[in-house]
Amino acid sequence: MCIFCKIVAGEIPSNRVLENDEFIAFHDINPVAPVHILIIPKKHIENFQSVTPELMANMTSFIQDVAKELCLDKNGYRLVTNNGKDGGQEAPHLHFHLLGGAKLKWTHLTENDTHKSL
């Protein structure tokens, strides 16, 4: 069972922001922004390539509700998903990072990127 499935099952505690029958949103334990929330489906789906359009339609409205709950919907936020090894996905369970609470910058895109920001 993956770490996110253990969170869904209640085997690992999480600081939940919002939850419904299909999804959970909770604070990342290693935040990279003032607000850093992970949003996952309760059903195990390995990555974005494996998700159905129907589930994404439901997930879209849930993510929008999370942004509203955290008052990020007006000033903006970044929504990121990493897909596969080269995309930087570390946990094999579809998840989105909702980042906000400050004006966000891009610091790098690859390990060898010499640009400071884009």
Side-chain angles (χ1 to χ4, degrees):
M1 186 182 299
C2 80
I3 190 167
F4 290 150
C5 287
K6 289 180 180 180
I7 289 171
V8 170
E11 295 175 20
I12 297 175
S14 64
N15 184 3
R16 297 179 186 201
V17 174
L18 199 61
E19 180 175 3
N20 68 17
D21 291 340
E22 290 184 285
F23 309 105
I24 299 174
F26 54 92
H27 290 269
D28 193 301
I29 60 170
N30 295 309
V32 298
V35 177
H36 187 165
I37 306 301
L38 295 176
I39 302 168
I40 66 169
K42 289 183 175 181
K43 176 183 176 187
H44 182 83
I45 297 169
E46 187 169 330
N47 56 36
F48 187 74
Q49 286 304 115
S50 303
V51 72
T52 65
E54 295 79 19
L55 186 86
M56 275 310 304
N58 294 341
M59 196 167 195
T60 296
S61 62
F62 182 78
I63 291 169
Q64 292 169 338
D65 289 345
V66 173
K68 287 177 189 170
E69 178 74 19
L70 297 168
C71 300
L72 298 175
D73 56 319
K74 302 292 186 228
N75 287 338
Y77 55 91
R78 182 172 295 155
L79 186 65
V80 178
T81 189
N82 300 319
N83 191 64
K85 180 181 167 188
D86 284 353
Q89 185 177 3
E90 295 178 6
H93 187 121
L94 175 65
H95 59 285
F96 285 83
H97 298 260
L98 189 147
L99 307 166
K103 189 164 180 104
L104 303 173
K105 297 180 181 182
W106 286 106
T107 56
H108 67 280
L109 295 177
T110 68
E111 291 179 16
N112 298 322
D113 193 355
T114 58
H115 297 289
K116 295 292 181 196
S117 66
L118 296 178

